[in-house]
Amino acid sequence: QTVEAHELMKVFVTRRISPEAMKILTTAGVCEVSLWDSEEPAPRSELLKGVQGAHGILCMLSDEIDAEVLDAAGPNLKVISTLSVGYDHLALDEVKKRGIRVGYTPDVLTDATAELTVALLLATARRIPEGLEEVKNGGWSSWKPFWLCGNGLSGSTVGIIGLGRIGMAISRRLMPFGVKRLLYSGRTAKPHATEVNGEFVPLDTLITESDFIVVSCSLTPETQGLCDKAFFSKMKNTAVFVNSSRGAVVNQEDLYEALSSGQIAAAGLDVTTPEPLPTNHPLLTLKNCVVLPHIGSATYSTRRTMLALAVRNLLGGVQGTEMPSELAL
Ligand code: NDP
Ligand code: DGY
């Protein structure tokens, strides 16, 4: 069936996407697609230009979708589909006010993100990047009883901040390492925590009793800056801190202080503020801080699945039909 050009919905895609995802989008025959055809983010001015008159926007987590962008898009805008499960880059109050629907990508990235978080935890606790460096720089002189020792998971207490989809998937993966107690904190106790013998505890208990703290909550006004000086000062000196949620949950100056003073043993971060973290950032001078470039969901199949889901969300939104993963606003 031929769709007249004037009936086509205008969509703007803020980054180059896979040919497979483009195919789903174009073969649906309902959209006129324009995209920022680059691996790098569109400059703000191009984003503001690109969204003009759009019925739908497919964006990345690095695109700040605020009132200015929504105003630039104008009254046609029906849907924002983000290629992420996190939606802290969307001004939801403004989105809601304008009656715009939001699509996101929960579940499909849970396993990949949990896997990477466990890898980061182990790499940080067992000092793997430091070891690699020593092999390359000649620092490996012989086997020594306490050289490059860290702390292991066996018999440990792990604290998960935010036992949601990803927090739960991390817990399931950690328990077989011989974790003795799994504590978690959040707004509400989770019935599914029984599967990992999770104990719902006040945040302070989690901080003081954990050997490993993993942050896997969403970024909200409540969690912004949650891990600050007071937080780190309550942690054990031997404890390891891992964050795979959002950089803004952490006060990075306070983290630097805690790491450099020996207040805590080590930190592994998959997320930072800003992203990318400038190469001269103080955290990058520390041997006990492992920083990854936000690669939690970065497996080929996960990213393909996320893209297909984001495109389907976009198509549902512009047509006013069901979206496979619509955020309840
Ligand atoms: P969920 O919504 O399933 O889980 C989020 C959890 O955060 C919920 O359990 C919620 O608990 C908890 N939470 C909210 N407020 C607080 C609080 N004040 N204290 C403690 N916990 C709180 O989301 P996902 O597990 O799917 O994703 C979580 C986050 O992970 C995303 O929002 C995103 O920021 C990040 N992420 C990072 C990736 C990476 O590449 N590093 C990849 C994918 C996601 P409650 O229900 O009690 O409110
Ligand atoms: C998300 O989805 O929120 C991640 O940060 C990237 O996959």
Side-chain angles (χ1 to χ4, degrees):
Q1 194 188 337
T2 316
V3 181
E4 296 299 327
H6 67 268
E7 292 174 1
L8 291 177
M9 297 286 169
K10 283 181 70 174
V11 303
F12 181 62
V13 180
T14 67
R15 201 75 62 90
R16 184 180 300 151
I17 57 173
S18 63
E20 296 80 20
M22 273 307 269
K23 198 168 161 201
I24 303 174
L25 192 52
T26 51
T27 55
V30 293
C31 305
E32 178 192 324
V33 183
S34 66
L35 94 164
W36 179 252
D37 193 12
S38 167
E39 299 290 326
E40 300 300 326
R44 184 77 178 174
S45 56
E46 294 296 333
L47 176 66
L48 293 171
K49 215 189 295 171
V51 299
Q52 278 172 25
H55 296 90
I57 301 172
L58 195 160
C59 70
M60 312 288 127
L61 58 89
S62 49
D63 301 312
E64 193 68 43
I65 306 293
D66 54 13
E68 188 185 21
V69 174
L70 301 175
D71 287 344
N76 283 348
L77 192 60
K78 293 163 176 279
V79 61
I80 297 161
S81 169
T82 183
L83 187 69
S84 61
V85 65
Y87 44 82
D88 48 279
H89 55 300
L90 311 177
L92 285 191
D93 46 346
E94 295 290 338
V95 168
K96 203 171 162 182
K97 214 158 68 186
R98 291 163 167 82
I100 298 163
R101 297 165 77 190
V102 172
Y104 70 142
T105 63
D107 301 312
V108 297
L109 44 58
T110 297
D111 287 347
T113 307
E115 184 174 272
L116 189 280
T117 307
V118 171
L120 176 58
L121 183 149
L122 291 170
T124 307
R126 297 300 305 274
R127 304 171 62 178
I128 290 175
E130 250 187 286
L132 291 171
E133 196 50 43
E134 296 291 356
V135 171
K136 288 183 187 166
N137 68 19
W140 181 18
S141 59
S142 82
W143 188 95
K144 296 173 219 164
F146 289 105
W147 188 53
L148 284 178
C149 285
N151 290 305
L153 279 162
S154 181
S156 70
T157 296
V158 170
I160 307 278
I161 300 183
L163 196 73
R165 289 172 291 249
I166 295 170
M168 195 54 203
I170 294 168
S171 306
R172 279 194 205 102
R173 283 160 177 76
L174 289 180
M175 291 312 280
F177 282 92
V179 169
K180 196 163 145 204
R181 290 178 73 204
L182 190 123
L183 314 179
Y184 73 99
S185 70
R187 288 177 296 193
T188 51
K190 306 287 178 216
H192 57 241
T194 51
E195 190 195 325
V196 288
N197 294 325
E199 302 168 38
F200 185 53
V201 294
L203 182 62
D204 266 8
T205 308
L206 183 148
I207 301 171
T208 52
E209 295 186 8
S210 296
D211 300 301
F212 296 89
I213 295 183
V214 181
V215 184
S216 55
C217 59
S218 33
L219 174 61
T220 66
E222 207 186 315
T223 60
Q224 176 139 14
L226 179 76
C227 306
D228 61 3
K229 194 177 168 66
F231 180 106
F232 295 122
S233 70
K234 288 177 213 151
M235 281 176 67
K236 295 183 187 178
N237 296 148
T238 49
V240 171
F241 175 82
V242 174
N243 182 16
S244 62
S245 75
R246 283 292 183 265
V249 174
V250 176
N251 179 315
Q252 289 178 175
E253 285 74 40
D254 294 347
L255 175 62
Y256 174 83
E257 197 48 45
L259 286 167
S260 55
S261 67
Q263 176 64 52
I264 69 171
L269 312 173
D270 184 43
V271 285
T272 60
T273 316
E275 293 184 359
L277 194 65
T279 52
N280 64 355
H281 193 281
L283 281 175
L284 299 179
T285 64
L286 300 174
K287 285 189 173 178
N288 57 350
C289 188
V290 179
V291 182
L292 297 179
H294 202 149
I295 53 171
S297 64
T299 71
Y300 290 113
S301 72
T302 300
R303 288 288 167 81
R304 279 192 211 107
T305 310
M306 287 168 68
L307 271 166
L309 179 55
V311 166
R312 294 201 166 93
N313 281 335
L314 183 72
L315 286 170
V318 291
Q319 293 175 98
T321 56
E322 198 189 327
M323 291 161 58
S325 279
E326 180 168 5
L327 184 67
L329 292 177

